[in-house]
């Protein structure tokens, strides 16, 4: 509590509960809304030796949970060594995965990770079409069943990006998540404005139009969301659907804002003060969307997040007014 107050008062990080680690740059899907796979030839990964050099900083900063993101973290050549280093200092590990390699690595995942968050883009045909992998759904299904066969209480949740190609599938997505044995499903909008997720060229109108919704589609989406409040009253109440009804309505507002018909939903986010992202090339960022502070190959993690550049960034960041923050699709807010 004191450390969090010190951080808020000085913009120096004294406590960091959450760390997102991208251990590997490659991905085994070809998703229409993500370009990470387009740089698969530039294989980068964080080695156990490099990570070991920053473990003490994670311990000192009180990191409680590491989210292994990517790319596909399961493609790392020595992922379990990284996990062992993190667990050795009491850090819990969440694995974010496409689901394709879950079955192959199920025993190691249950042993080394505390939960898995799987990308689910729709019912079988819709999911496979968005992932651009013919058997993506089937492999995801096999993988979840393999995890639950080892430990039926092992937490598996789903995350779905709702966009033009799957918003009409919302009800089937919830039903599919239940059939697969997920413990929860969460929803977010598609990022169509930033250079995150390897969108190094940014978004042109043609590319964005393939993901965003037209005005008529937004109106249709709103009716689907409203109907979900009736059809999935139990799932909302018991948090099988992670978002509140207000948050789900915010997805509609986001797509209205993209086409200039509304303001973006108000953001409540303190990610740069409570977390950081380490990319597979070693760059340290305040979140997925803002520019890096530095690189762990050039200095210690603690020095980077409390550098003059990093402190100045946090001091001058107004989440409510910043153009990047206003359009953010996955903000983070941790209470003190």
């Amino acid at each position: 509590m004191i450390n969090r107050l010190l951080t808020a008062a000085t913009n120096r990080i004294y406590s960091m509960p959450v760390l997102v680690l991208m251990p590997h740059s490659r991905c085994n899907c070809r998703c229409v809304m993500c370009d990470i796979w387009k740089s698969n030839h530039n294989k980068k990964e964080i080695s156990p030796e490099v990570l070991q050099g920053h473990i003490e900083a994670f311990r000192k900063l009180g990191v409680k949970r590491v989210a292994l993101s990517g790319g596909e973290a399961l493609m790392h050549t020595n992922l379990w060594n990284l996990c062992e280093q993190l667990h050795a200092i009491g850090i819990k590990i969440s694995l974010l995965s496409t689901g394709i390699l879950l079955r192959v690595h199920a025993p190691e995942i249950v042993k080394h990770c505390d939960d898995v968050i799987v990308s689910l883009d729709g019912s079988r045909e819709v999911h496979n079409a968005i992932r651009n992998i013919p058997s993506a759904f089937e492999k995801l299904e096999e993988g979840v069943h393999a995890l639950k066969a080892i430990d039926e209480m092992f937490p598996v949740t789903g995350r779905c990006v709702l966009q033009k190609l799957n918003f009409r599938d919302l009800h089937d997505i919830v039903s599919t998540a239940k059939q697969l044995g997920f413990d929860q499903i969460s929803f977010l909008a598609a990022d169509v404005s930033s250079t995150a997720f390897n969108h190094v060229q940014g978004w042109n109108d043609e590319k964005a139009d393939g993901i965003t919704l037209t005005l008529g589609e937004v109106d249709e989406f709103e009716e689907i969301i409203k109907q979900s409040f009736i059809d999935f009253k139990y799932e909302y109440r018991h948090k099988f659907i992670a978002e509140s009804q207000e948050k789900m309505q915010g997805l509609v507002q986001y797509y209205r804002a993209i086409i200039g018909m509304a303001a973006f939903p108000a953001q409540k986010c303190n990610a740069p003060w409570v977390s950081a992202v380490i990319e597979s090339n070693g760059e340290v960022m305040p979140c997925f969307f803002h520019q890096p502070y530095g690189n762990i190959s050039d200095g210690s993690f603690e020095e980077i997040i409390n550098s003059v550049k990093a402190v100045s960034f946090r001091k001058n960041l107004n989440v409510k007014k910043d153009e990047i923050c206003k359009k953010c699709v996955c903000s983070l807010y941790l209470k003190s």
Side-chain angles (χ1 to χ4, degrees), residues 81-292:
N81 187 300
L82 303 187
C83 292
E84 288 172 356
Q85 292 183 40
L86 296 169
H87 269 159
I89 58 171
I91 292 176
K92 292 188 177 298
I93 298 172
S94 295
L95 172 68
L96 280 64
S97 176
T98 65
I100 290 176
L101 295 175
L102 290 181
R103 184 184 62 80
V104 175
H105 296 288
E108 291 85 2
I109 293 170
V110 172
K111 177 181 178 181
H112 293 286
C113 300
D114 296 279
D115 66 281
V116 168
I117 303 169
V118 182
S119 298
L120 178 67
D121 291 312
S123 49
R124 188 179 305 269
E125 291 77 13
V126 175
H127 180 83
N128 286 344
I130 291 174
R131 293 271 138 182
N132 276 319
I133 301 292
S135 58
F137 183 91
E138 288 77 6
K139 290 179 179 178
L140 183 158
E141 184 176 34
E142 291 172 357
V144 173
H145 289 168
L147 293 173
K148 293 292 188 176
I150 295 170
D151 180 359
E152 63 179 2
M153 300 304 293
F154 185 78
V156 179
T157 60
R159 179 172 294 170
C160 179
V161 177
L162 288 171
Q163 37 92 2
K164 182 185 286 288
L165 301 179
N166 67 354
F167 77 92
R168 294 185 180 93
D169 205 37
L170 173 60
H171 280 61
D172 283 339
I173 292 169
V174 176
S175 298
T176 299
K178 296 178 76 172
Q179 292 166 8
L180 287 172
F182 286 4
D183 298 285
Q184 189 179 62
I185 180 75
S186 66
F187 296 97
L188 66 159
D191 168 48
V192 292
S193 61
S194 81
T195 57
F197 313 114
N198 199 42
H199 294 302
V200 293
Q201 305 275 326
W203 289 82
N204 58 39
D205 290 343
E206 181 181 358
K207 185 174 182 180
D209 287 347
I211 301 298
T212 59
L213 279 58
T214 64
L215 179 57
E217 288 171 337
V218 172
D219 291 339
E220 184 182 355
F221 184 33
E222 184 171 26
E223 291 307 311
I224 291 171
I225 291 288
K226 288 179 179 178
Q227 188 62 42
S228 78
F229 300 155
I230 299 170
D231 297 340
F232 295 119
K233 185 182 296 184
Y234 177 91
E235 286 77 6
Y236 280 107
R237 182 186 303 127
H238 293 275
K239 303 300 289 184
F240 180 78
I241 297 175
E243 283 70 34
S244 65
Q245 293 186 9
E246 181 183 6
K247 284 283 189 180
M248 292 297 284
Q249 289 171 325
L251 301 182
V252 176
Q253 184 179 342
Y254 170 84
Y255 282 114
R256 285 199 194 283
I258 287 292
I259 57 176
M261 300 300 292
F264 285 96
Q267 295 291 351
K268 189 175 184 181
C269 179
N270 59 359
W273 292 268
V274 299
S275 67
V277 175
I278 302 179
E279 287 204 321
S280 57
N281 62 3
E283 288 188 336
V284 180
M285 308 185 301
C287 66
F288 288 110
F289 306 103
H290 283 285
Q291 293 300 305

